[in-house]
Amino acid sequence: MIYNMNCIQGAQQIEDETAALIIADPPYNLKYGGTNQNRQRKHRFNIMKNDDLPLADYRRFSLAWLKQAHRILKPGHHIYVCIDWRMYPDIVRWLRLTGFVVKNCIVWDKENFGLGWNYRYQHEFIIMAVKEAKKNRRIRSRNQSDIMRIPRIPGNHMVHPTEKPVDLMKRLIENSSEEGEYIVDFFAGSGVVPAAAEALNRKWDAFEIDPHWVEVTMNRLRNLINPK
């Protein structure tokens, strides 16, 4: 189910150590509004909530949701956190502060670079961490690279400023969970994790603070069930 609420408050309603997998695509705190698509060079979207915070506030926000994520995740299971190179060192440090053990950094290769200058961006990071236990879950196959080459969504087709491909989320879900298991999405955005979870027969809950994106997620799921 998709809940229109802050993920910190939403996760407080979940019992300890019940989630088999957590996926989080949090605001990167970069005041990002999507790819410029007009002559006035204005962003296509409004700045997302919690994406324009003083660093101290962003740190408190991040530690609060990571603390909840650690509490609800089963021991030995995985969390994936999407981030880019600018905030990567901070998120790694905060993951460790909240008790996670960072296992790897996956590079999402988008195949095509975006707009910009001084080397145009073609990748983002996905941090893989675990809630350490005597026996930690391994991903489904040893034949998995830490580089995932999946095309990005073209800017004029994106419905959310930081939208990830559903196929990317499917890869993570398949690698770190089994059919019927319960996963939690802390930042639903336009609903790519719920869509991937539905397609792969996982139970799921997702949180999104902005009612507009909740409606976008609901539309995505309705289209998945009843394609036009």
Side-chain angles (χ1 to χ4, degrees):
M1 182 174 291
I2 175 73
Y3 295 93
N4 183 198
M5 61 172 57
N6 182 301
C7 63
I8 300 165
Q9 297 171 333
Q12 289 171 353
Q13 313 306 313
I14 300 175
E15 294 183 5
D16 294 357
E17 300 185 346
T18 54
L21 172 64
I22 293 173
I23 297 179
D25 186 8
Y28 294 179
N29 208 35
L30 298 175
K31 308 176 187 178
Y32 186 64
T35 304
N36 293 327
Q37 294 291 322
N38 51 49
R39 293 180 180 178
Q40 290 75 31
R41 302 185 64 81
K42 293 181 179 179
H43 291 305
R44 291 184 60 207
F45 305 98
N46 294 328
I47 302 301
M48 296 178 296
K49 295 181 184 296
N50 297 313
D51 199 38
D52 186 13
L53 298 175
L55 183 58
D57 290 343
Y58 185 69
R59 179 181 185 274
R60 281 190 288 270
F61 167 69
S62 299
L63 288 172
W65 73 257
L66 284 168
K67 180 179 179 180
Q68 289 299 322
H70 189 272
R71 180 184 63 78
I72 69 172
L73 187 63
K74 290 182 177 181
H77 287 239
H78 304 153
I79 180 173
Y80 292 99
V81 183
C82 301
I83 203 67
D84 88 338
W85 63 272
R86 285 161 286 193
M87 295 306 300
Y88 174 85
D90 292 307
I91 294 295
V92 166
R93 183 165 62 252
W94 299 336
L95 276 160
R96 289 170 174 158
L97 281 174
T98 48
F100 289 104
V101 176
V102 175
K103 289 295 185 180
N104 213 327
C105 175
I106 298 163
V107 177
W108 169 34
D109 176 2
K110 306 178 185 183
E111 290 194 355
N112 300 299
F113 46 72
L115 298 177
W117 203 256
N118 291 332
Y119 306 108
R120 292 157 65 178
Y121 300 149
Q122 189 176 314
H123 78 283
E124 289 185 36
F125 294 141
I126 305 172
I127 304 167
M128 177 199 180
V130 65
K131 182 174 179 176
E132 192 77 353
K134 289 183 179 179
K135 185 176 182 181
N136 294 328
R137 169 172 278 184
R138 295 180 178 179
I139 65 171
R140 65 186 172 94
S141 170
R142 295 185 66 181
N143 296 321
Q144 296 275 331
S145 169
D146 61 359
I147 298 177
M148 294 186 179
R149 196 163 193 258
I150 297 174
R152 68 182 181 90
I153 300 169
N156 59 343
H157 291 167
M158 294 176 72
V159 299
H160 185 279
T162 64
E163 185 178 358
K164 307 295 189 294
V166 173
D167 284 347
L168 178 64
M169 296 299 109
K170 282 183 176 179
R171 184 86 60 89
L172 302 180
I173 291 170
E174 285 184 310
N175 281 343
S176 292
S177 68
E178 302 293 336
E179 283 196 29
E181 287 190 322
Y182 174 54
I183 70 174
V184 180
D185 177 10
F186 270 52
F187 303 90
S190 62
V192 294
V193 172
E198 282 288 324
L200 295 171
N201 193 30
R202 269 58 165 183
K203 300 174 184 176
W204 60 272
D205 280 324
F207 305 108
E208 174 52 53
I209 195 172
D210 190 323
H212 169 70
W213 298 122
V214 172
E215 184 58 31
V216 171
T217 295
M218 293 300 296
N219 286 335
R220 185 190 292 271
L221 294 173
R222 282 191 285 265
N223 291 334
L224 183 67
I225 296 170
N226 297 303
K228 296 179 181 179

